[in-house]
Amino acid sequence: MGQGQADLAIQMLKECARNGDWLCLKNLHLVVSWLPVLEKELNTLQPKDTFRLWLTAEVHPNFTPILLQSSLKITYESPPGLKKNLMRTYESWTPEQISKKDNIHRAHALFSLAWFHAACQERRNYIPQGWTKFYEFSLSDLRAGYNIIDRLFDGAKDIQWEFVHGLLENAIYGGRIDNYFDLRVLQSYLKQFFNSSVIDVFNQRNKKSIFPYSVSLPQSCSILDYRAVIEKLPEDDKPSFFGLPANIARSSQRMISSQVISQLRILGRSVTAGSKFDREIWSNELSPVLNLWKKLNQNSNLIHQKVPPPNDRQGSPILSFIILEQFNTIRLVQSVHQSLAALSKVIRGTTLLSSEVQKLASALLNQKCPLAWQSKWEGPEDPLQYLRGLVARALAIQNWVDKAEKQALLSETLDLSELFHPDTFLNALRQETARAVGRSVDSLKFVASWKGRLPEAKLQIKISGLLLEGCSFDGNQLSENQLDSPSVSSVLPCFMGWIPQDGLDLLTL
């Protein structure tokens, strides 16, 4: 299904129902807005007994529930693992596709393509360390890659691997990627699997193809030989297959555990809790949130504090930022307090239920952070963690304001996790440094040092609380993680600042 297929699908549906044939409509997740039309047609049909309608779709949050409820459902999920992925690819290819033109180097290039495709797909099991998000690498990408390899060896003597890199990066696999760092990972894969060291197209004698991960490629075009190579691979994926640290399984298990706990919480709640108002259910389900908020604000005056709007008279960009951060934080705290207070009044029966309170309660009952809160600060998805993080940052920013007003902020060791917008703070430091040295903002570069203060930085800050994932750092060198290494390691405090671009380059970020 796709653009322009709706009318044809309805026509074939009526014809198959009239003749008693079978019909399969594929990829309905691409046309969820058209599904109500399909429902109406199904309700008006008077098909023969032999008529059957098959529907295929991927998971989609807006898929019509009525259509699902009226269907017999079968779910299918491909077995995970690089080995299983490679085997599926070679089961989908025919022997003729591998042995075409009896070109060994073409067969090696297809094996590289299959491994590259499997690595891109299986790397999704390690989100957000593998990829930052789930990308829809599919069989159509593999088919397009096969066509490129097929044409590449079609009479060409000089293979241009840059041509392959460009097409796979910009037109096929890379066309789905919207993150710069993910694109760098894809580029490194392309350079690793598609080069003259892996695929010797010049027929140099006594030279074997050097495939990564100590995999020896057969010197033949038989599909059975390549399947035999795949069979020798381990059942469990090695992190080195994806260029990931040895302890990546810990991070992956932690993410999976969090997802399972979240799903269990959703299953444990009342099915009808968010659909309509029930005082007893709302009171029981939402009391932890209301009690936590009350406890967090017992020893502070955040919910009653009055902060004047910031103005441009502060002069210092850093002080202006801190005051603006405090103003926005207090507004957010009081906004959350007002929404929870209105919810509490509705539960007690002293106020009528409004649409805003309904949306708030529905989100909290689903163990989700309300959109009204997330629009002001994209914090944790869990409401309890969101409230704890909000109050902790609000109290910490009060100390930042006191130190900034006394001009003692830059002499203290700072923790950027106490801010809602740490990137803006670093930019404010950049602006203030530019004023102090009489340079433009664009002429400064960001540097860091773990060996002491920055000699060329007019203004600098000492940062603590940094965490590192994927390796460890002792202040002098990076070390690869071992299998038993913690998933996250702390980093020693360091000095950061902005210096002229022609200055000493300690560690430029």
Side-chain angles (χ1 to χ4, degrees), residues 95-116:
E96 292 75 18
Q97 287 180 286
I98 304 299
S99 61
K100 184 179 179 181
K101 299 179 183 179
D102 198 25
N103 189 326
I104 294 177
H105 310 299
R106 178 182 176 278
H108 288 178
L110 289 177
F111 187 85
S112 292
L113 174 65
W115 192 294
F116 167 76

Side-chain angles (χ1 to χ4, degrees), residues 149-195:
I149 298 298
D150 190 37
R151 295 180 183 180
L152 189 68
F153 287 88
D154 189 10
K157 295 182 179 180
D158 186 15
I159 304 300
Q160 299 292 334
W161 293 116
E162 294 80 5
F163 170 76
V164 179
H165 297 171
L167 284 177
L168 294 179
E169 176 188 341
N170 299 312
I172 305 175
Y173 288 87
R176 303 181 183 275
I177 295 177
D178 55 9
N179 181 277
Y180 170 72
F181 296 99
D182 287 344
L183 194 59
R184 289 178 58 182
V185 171
L186 185 76
Q187 291 168 348
S188 68
Y189 274 161
L190 292 172
K191 294 177 181 178
Q192 183 181 23
F193 294 119
F194 301 100
N195 60 75

Side-chain angles (χ1 to χ4, degrees), residues 263-282:
Q263 292 171 356
L264 289 175
R265 286 176 176 173
I266 294 175
L267 292 174
R269 66 179 176 84
S270 175
V271 177
T272 59
S275 59
K276 60 181 180 179
F277 175 63
D278 187 307
R279 180 171 285 108
E280 183 178 356
I281 294 178
W282 282 31

Side-chain angles (χ1 to χ4, degrees), residues 59-231:
V59 176
H60 196 287
N62 297 327
F63 199 92
T64 308
I66 299 176
L67 194 58
L68 285 174
Q69 293 169 2
S70 60
S71 304
L72 295 175
K73 292 168 284 293
I74 302 174
T75 59
Y76 171 77
E77 184 176 1
S78 301
L82 192 78
K83 179 178 179 179
K84 297 288 194 302
N85 198 307
L86 285 168
M87 191 57 71
R88 285 197 302 273
T89 298
Y90 270 83
E91 287 174 353
S92 67
W93 285 344
T94 63
E96 292 75 18
Q97 287 180 286
I98 304 299
S99 61
K100 184 179 179 181
K101 299 179 183 179
D102 198 25
N103 189 326
I104 294 177
H105 310 299
R106 178 182 176 278
H108 288 178
L110 289 177
F111 187 85
S112 292
L113 174 65
W115 192 294
F116 167 76
H117 177 76
C120 288
Q121 285 193 326
E122 299 304 319
R123 195 179 173 94
R124 298 179 301 192
N125 295 325
Y126 301 98
I127 293 173
Q129 291 85 6
W131 301 113
T132 58
K133 59 185 288 188
F134 189 92
Y135 293 113
E136 290 286 350
F137 301 123
S138 63
L139 189 61
S140 61
D141 298 320
L142 180 64
R143 285 196 295 262
Y146 176 89
N147 292 333
I148 291 175
I149 298 298
D150 190 37
R151 295 180 183 180
L152 189 68
F153 287 88
D154 189 10
K157 295 182 179 180
D158 186 15
I159 304 300
Q160 299 292 334
W161 293 116
E162 294 80 5
F163 170 76
V164 179
H165 297 171
L167 284 177
L168 294 179
E169 176 188 341
N170 299 312
I172 305 175
Y173 288 87
R176 303 181 183 275
I177 295 177
D178 55 9
N179 181 277
Y180 170 72
F181 296 99
D182 287 344
L183 194 59
R184 289 178 58 182
V185 171
L186 185 76
Q187 291 168 348
S188 68
Y189 274 161
L190 292 172
K191 294 177 181 178
Q192 183 181 23
F193 294 119
F194 301 100
N195 60 75
S196 57
S197 297
V198 174
I199 306 162
D200 175 26
V201 296
F202 296 105
N203 271 332
Q204 298 183 22
R205 292 184 177 181
N206 301 323
K207 181 180 178 182
K208 293 185 178 180
S209 296
I210 306 173
F211 196 82
Y213 318 119
S214 302
V215 176
S216 179
L217 298 184
Q219 298 299 310
S220 73
C221 297
S222 172
I223 193 172
L224 297 178
D225 292 338
Y226 291 93
R227 288 178 180 173
V229 171
I230 298 172
E231 287 290 351

Side-chain angles (χ1 to χ4, degrees), residues 179-382:
N179 181 277
Y180 170 72
F181 296 99
D182 287 344
L183 194 59
R184 289 178 58 182
V185 171
L186 185 76
Q187 291 168 348
S188 68
Y189 274 161
L190 292 172
K191 294 177 181 178
Q192 183 181 23
F193 294 119
F194 301 100
N195 60 75
S196 57
S197 297
V198 174
I199 306 162
D200 175 26
V201 296
F202 296 105
N203 271 332
Q204 298 183 22
R205 292 184 177 181
N206 301 323
K207 181 180 178 182
K208 293 185 178 180
S209 296
I210 306 173
F211 196 82
Y213 318 119
S214 302
V215 176
S216 179
L217 298 184
Q219 298 299 310
S220 73
C221 297
S222 172
I223 193 172
L224 297 178
D225 292 338
Y226 291 93
R227 288 178 180 173
V229 171
I230 298 172
E231 287 290 351
K232 295 179 182 179
L233 295 175
E235 293 292 338
D236 298 329
D237 292 339
K238 296 180 180 179
S240 60
F241 285 167
F242 309 104
L244 295 172
N247 66 338
I248 190 62
R250 291 193 173 191
S251 299
S252 177
Q253 291 167 1
R254 188 175 66 248
M255 293 294 298
I256 294 174
S257 300
S258 300
Q259 293 173 0
V260 171
I261 292 173
S262 177
Q263 292 171 356
L264 289 175
R265 286 176 176 173
I266 294 175
L267 292 174
R269 66 179 176 84
S270 175
V271 177
T272 59
S275 59
K276 60 181 180 179
F277 175 63
D278 187 307
R279 180 171 285 108
E280 183 178 356
I281 294 178
W282 282 31
S283 178
N284 293 334
E285 297 285 342
L286 299 177
S287 57
V289 178
L290 298 174
N291 292 337
L292 174 64
W293 183 249
K294 183 178 180 180
K295 181 179 179 180
L296 291 173
N297 290 280
Q298 278 183 346
N299 301 320
S300 68
N301 64 337
L302 294 174
I303 58 178
H304 303 296
Q305 185 175 352
K306 294 184 179 180
V307 179
N311 53 56
D312 298 332
R313 298 179 181 179
Q314 279 81 19
S316 166
I318 293 179
L319 182 58
S320 299
F321 163 76
I322 298 299
I323 292 177
L324 179 61
E325 188 86 338
Q326 181 197 32
F327 176 75
N328 291 331
T329 301
I330 297 300
R331 286 183 59 185
L332 176 56
V333 169
Q334 294 176 357
S335 174
V336 170
H337 177 72
Q338 290 174 3
S339 61
L340 291 178
L343 176 61
S344 179
K345 291 178 181 178
V346 170
I347 294 175
R348 294 199 308 268
T350 59
T351 305
L352 295 176
L353 178 65
S354 64
S355 59
E356 290 77 10
V357 174
Q358 176 73 42
K359 293 178 182 178
L360 174 70
S362 178
L364 295 177
L365 289 169
N366 284 290
Q367 306 291 333
K368 295 181 180 179
C369 192
L371 292 177
W373 299 358
Q374 287 283 0
S375 63
K376 299 175 182 177
W377 173 47
E378 294 184 6
E381 285 291 336
D382 182 77

Side-chain angles (χ1 to χ4, degrees), residues 251 425 491:
S251 299
F425 170 72
V491 181

